[in-house]
Amino acid sequence: MSNQVISYADLSVINSALRSISSDMSGVHSELGSLNFKQDQLESELTKLADAFADFVEADLKHKSLQLAETRQGNLKQDLQIKFGYYAEVRRMATGILQGVDTGVVSDDTLRFTTEEVMIKAPGYWLAPALVALASWIRNDKNVNEKALNEALKRDDYKTTLFFMLVMRRLTRNDASLKWLERYFMHQNPQNLDREFIIILEAVTTGVFPPASRQLMMSNVKGWLDQLTQGDTFINEQKSQWVKFFEASGPLSDGKYPLLEKFADNWVKLETSLKEAKIHGILNTHFKGIISSSADFSKGVKVQLDEILSLLVTNFDDEELPLQEQVRLNQLIIQMDGDKNAAQAIMDAEKHIFDEKVDFLQLLTNASFNPELSGATKVTQALAVSISQPWIVEAHDTFTAQSRNRIPQTIELNVDGFKTTTKDGSEENELLKKQDAFYQTVLETELGKLSFPYGGVIIGALVCLLGVWAFSLHPVAGLVGLGIGGVLIWNNIKNFNNAKENITENVEERKRKAKEVLRGCIAETVDYRKEHTTEDANAEVLRQLLNSITPEDFSSVSKETARNII
């Protein structure tokens, strides 16, 4: 009797240990079944988190750059107002004096008092004594006129000469205007022109000068073109700037291809290539707008001259240029929603606009890029483009060749670890078969990592054998042993099958989602290639437009003048 009690006690301890081992083994096998899948999910989530964080940082930087640019913009404009604010008041007086003389409602005393006050309040500014000289000339005060004129020439010989050349023409003093024009050309260097020479080009473009003055200017300009185009240095510099201008003209991202943006490893190249292709259409619209510009000849000569005079006196003076350049950069940052790189690219294309002295070809390029910043009108921009047409065409050919060489030949997709390439999306069935094979391999690999619970089954079998042996001691003990062993074997096999089923279901779910993504990527690839081809075709349309540009086409320029220039 005592032996039987000891046997039962021993079996109880063994059964307890076996149940504990079985429970632990079941948990281990269950966790192993999905461990690798969870690891893949974790890596995927971490990648998404990293991408989202990078996007957040980029957006935050743009937002801060935008706020900083807006703040700086206000401060810079305030600095301009403090340092050069009175210049603006003096500038407004120039055409005001002329228009006052036209109407005859401004007395000589008022002219004298106003201009002399300006002379005191704007020391060093060339326009102040120029206005005094003009007012004294109007009231026939020769003595004051000569003193003021000499002071204006001393402060800025070039601008004073140009100012009185335009004023004399406006007042129909053609002989005096011609003499001022001769003085103007006396010391001009086509490789080192003042920025305000664009005003002369403006006057010729709008046809406000008499024939003799025009012929004098034309002979000089033709000589400059011959001189500057003999070598490649100046032309190559302009072509390089035009290429940069083209590159900076691309549109902002429109998020049209979200799947490719997320799953194409070479998306940056794809996006850049599409933007470059879209530039042709943007430029086509840009140049059409330029060549459609024309002067309004319903306006009188005085009105046109007033506009040109206004451009002269309101154009930035050299000492203002550094601040104006900073204002322009912050303005571009605001326009680009805080994208400093995009703003800097445009600024780099425009940077020569702020040069104090430029060569004649650069002057044409400045007027072509941004007539407002260079001090010209759309009419002058049209003429500048027409004269620059040969190297604009060459620059466009260079840009087109470079952009086409950079077109990605394949789209590199990476969908849940399945890496493949497609050229135009036409191989959809083939890619889907490859994806099926990929996930079949994934399934086999994941199942291969799941080991059969031999240990648990063996333990269960040993318990069953122990139960068979226990029959010799007591039937109940034998039945208990067999039951425990059978349960161990059944649980281990069941857990193993459940783990296999979980892995299979997980892989099938990944496969289903990945197939949807792949089909979406293929659809976007087809649309991307179609759009790219359509946009790239605009290159030839733009080239035909550029080749068709001649100065004779502009109604604002007389055919005689245009032929003389070219």
Side-chain angles (χ1 to χ4, degrees):
M1 186 71 179
S2 60
N3 290 336
Q4 290 179 349
V5 171
I6 292 172
S7 299
Y8 280 119
D10 291 340
L11 285 173
S12 175
V13 172
I14 293 172
N15 288 337
S16 177
L18 288 173
R19 282 195 298 270
S20 177
I21 294 172
S22 176
S23 176
D24 291 341
M25 291 295 292
S26 298
V28 169
H29 286 295
S30 176
E31 290 299 323
L32 285 174
S34 58
L35 180 61
N36 291 319
F37 175 72
K38 290 182 178 180
Q39 182 178 356
D40 292 339
Q41 281 187 319
L42 179 61
E43 291 178 355
S44 176
E45 292 299 324
L46 286 174
T47 301
K48 292 178 181 178
L49 181 61
D51 292 340
F53 181 73
D55 293 340
F56 169 77
V57 171
E58 183 180 0
D60 184 60
L61 288 175
K62 286 184 178 181
H63 179 67
K64 290 179 179 177
S65 296
L66 179 61
Q67 289 183 320
L68 183 60
E70 290 173 343
T71 302
R72 286 177 174 172
Q73 184 82 325
N75 293 336
L76 287 168
K77 288 185 176 179
Q78 187 175 9
D79 288 344
L80 278 171
Q81 178 62 30
I82 293 172
K83 295 179 181 179
F84 306 106
Y86 200 72
Y87 282 19
E89 185 175 340
V90 177
R91 290 163 178 167
R92 285 192 293 270
M93 284 187 179
T95 52
I97 289 174
L98 292 173
Q99 292 170 5
V101 173
D102 289 340
T103 59
V105 297
V106 180
S107 66
D108 291 348
D109 290 339
T110 300
L111 283 176
R112 179 174 181 175
F113 172 77
T114 304
T115 54
E116 288 179 357
E117 183 182 15
V118 165
M119 185 72 183
I120 296 173
K121 291 184 176 179
Y125 189 30
W126 69 272
L127 189 55
L131 292 180
V132 173
L134 178 60
S136 59
W137 179 79
I138 292 173
R139 65 177 186 270
N140 294 318
D141 190 340
K142 185 177 180 181
N143 185 40
V144 174
N145 174 262
E146 290 179 353
K147 291 180 180 179
L149 184 58
N150 288 332
E151 179 62 24
L153 290 170
K154 186 188 301 182
R155 292 185 181 184
D156 196 318
D157 189 298
Y158 170 78
K159 291 180 182 177
T160 301
T161 298
L162 181 54
F163 177 73
F164 280 103
M165 179 184 70
L166 292 170
V167 168
M168 292 302 106
R169 173 64 183 113
R170 184 187 183 281
L171 299 177
T172 66
R173 301 298 196 272
N174 292 340
D175 291 340
S177 177
L178 183 59
K179 289 181 179 180
W180 281 110
L181 185 61
E182 289 174 347
R183 176 185 176 88
Y184 172 81
F185 278 110
M186 190 176 297
H187 300 292
Q188 292 301 314
N189 180 355
Q191 298 181 10
N192 198 29
L193 290 172
D194 289 287
R195 296 167 60 253
E196 285 76 13
F197 178 77
I198 198 67
I199 304 299
I200 291 295
L201 189 62
E202 183 73 26
V204 174
T205 304
T206 52
V208 298
F209 276 90
S213 299
R214 184 186 299 133
Q215 187 58 42
L216 175 64
M217 199 277 289
M218 289 300 126
S219 61
N220 281 276
V221 168
K222 192 175 188 305
W224 293 352
L225 286 172
D226 292 340
Q227 178 182 341
L228 295 176
T229 55
Q230 283 181 355
D232 294 332
T233 303
F234 291 99
I235 293 295
N236 288 338
E237 174 63 23
Q238 303 316 307
K239 287 194 293 186
S240 176
Q241 288 185 48
W242 276 105
V243 171
K244 291 180 181 178
F245 174 77
F246 295 157
E247 292 173 345
S249 301
L252 296 176
S253 178
D254 54 9
K256 191 174 181 180
Y257 303 101
L259 292 179
L260 290 182
E261 184 175 354
K262 185 175 181 180
F263 296 102
D265 288 340
N266 60 339
W267 168 249
V268 174
K269 293 181 179 179
L270 293 168
E271 183 181 37
T272 300
S273 181
L274 183 58
K275 285 182 178 179
E276 290 178 346
K278 288 182 176 180
I279 287 173
H280 300 298
I282 294 173
L283 293 175
N284 192 51
T285 302
H286 174 73
F287 283 108
K288 277 185 177 179
I290 292 175
I291 64 177
S292 64
S293 301
S294 61
D296 184 1
F297 287 100
S298 64
K299 295 184 293 187
V301 172
K302 285 187 178 181
V303 176
Q304 294 182 55
L305 280 167
D306 281 347
E307 292 176 351
I308 298 173
L309 276 168
S310 178
L311 284 172
L312 169 63
V313 298
T314 57
N315 199 13
F316 308 135
D317 282 85
D318 294 343
E319 59 265 33
E320 296 177 75
L321 288 178
L323 279 176
Q324 292 291 355
E325 185 174 9
Q326 294 179 52
V327 169
R328 177 59 176 167
L329 177 59
N330 284 281
Q331 179 187 1
L332 289 172
I333 292 175
I334 294 171
Q335 289 179 0
M336 295 292 108
D337 292 330
D339 192 336
K340 295 176 67 175
N341 292 331
Q344 190 61 55
I346 298 175
M347 191 67 184
D348 290 342
E350 293 181 351
K351 65 181 179 179
H352 292 288
I353 291 174
F354 295 97
D355 288 351
E356 295 182 10
K357 290 184 179 292
V358 296
D359 62 79
F360 181 59
L361 300 186
Q362 183 64 59
L363 193 80
L364 296 174
T365 300
N366 290 348
S368 301
F369 282 177
N370 196 321
E372 290 81 8
L373 284 181
S374 61
T377 67
K378 291 289 186 180
V379 179
T380 300
Q381 183 185 30
L383 181 61
V385 166
S386 70
I387 298 174
S388 308
Q389 183 260 4
W391 51 90
I392 294 177
V393 172
E394 291 184 29
H396 177 254
D397 288 344
T398 300
F399 169 75
T400 302
Q402 290 176 350
S403 61
R404 285 176 175 172
N405 286 335
R406 290 194 289 261
I407 297 175
Q409 297 303 306
T410 59
I411 295 177
E412 302 168 5
L413 298 175
N414 184 350
V415 181
D416 190 29
F418 172 61
K419 295 183 178 181
T420 188
T421 60
T422 177
K423 183 177 181 181
D424 53 16
S426 61
E427 56 277 71
E428 179 177 1
N429 292 332
E430 180 183 349
L431 294 180
L432 290 174
K433 288 180 181 178
K434 288 182 179 179
Q435 190 183 48
D436 288 340
F438 169 79
Y439 279 103
Q440 183 62 36
T441 302
V442 170
L443 179 60
E444 293 172 358
T445 302
E446 294 299 318
L447 291 177
K449 294 177 182 179
L450 183 65
S451 58
F452 186 81
Y454 291 105
V457 172
I458 291 173
I459 291 174
L462 290 175
V463 173
C464 288
L465 291 175
L466 185 63
V468 172
W469 173 78
F471 266 110
S472 62
L473 300 176
H474 195 283
V476 175
L479 290 174
V480 170
L482 288 173
I484 292 174
V487 169
L488 288 174
I489 293 173
W490 183 81
N491 279 339
N492 278 278
I493 293 176
K494 179 183 178 183
N495 290 336
F496 174 73
N497 290 332
N498 287 340
K500 285 177 61 178
E501 186 177 347
N502 287 336
I503 291 175
T504 302
E505 290 177 354
N506 289 332
V507 172
E508 285 296 323
E509 180 65 15
R510 287 172 57 188
K511 176 181 175 181
R512 182 186 66 78
K513 293 180 178 179
K515 183 171 291 188
E516 292 177 0
V517 171
L518 180 59
R519 283 174 172 161
C521 288
I522 292 172
E524 287 189 2
T525 297
V526 174
D527 294 339
Y528 173 88
R529 291 300 189 191
K530 286 181 179 178
E531 183 179 14
H532 197 292
T533 301
T534 301
E535 295 292 346
D536 184 70
N538 288 325
E540 184 58 31
V541 177
L542 175 58
R543 195 176 195 282
Q544 292 176 2
L545 175 67
L546 292 175
N547 281 324
S548 69
I549 294 177
T550 58
E552 290 87 345
D553 293 333
F554 302 114
S555 61
S556 60
V557 184
S558 70
K559 296 184 182 299
E560 177 186 356
T561 300
R563 291 192 183 98
N564 284 335
I565 291 179
I566 300 301

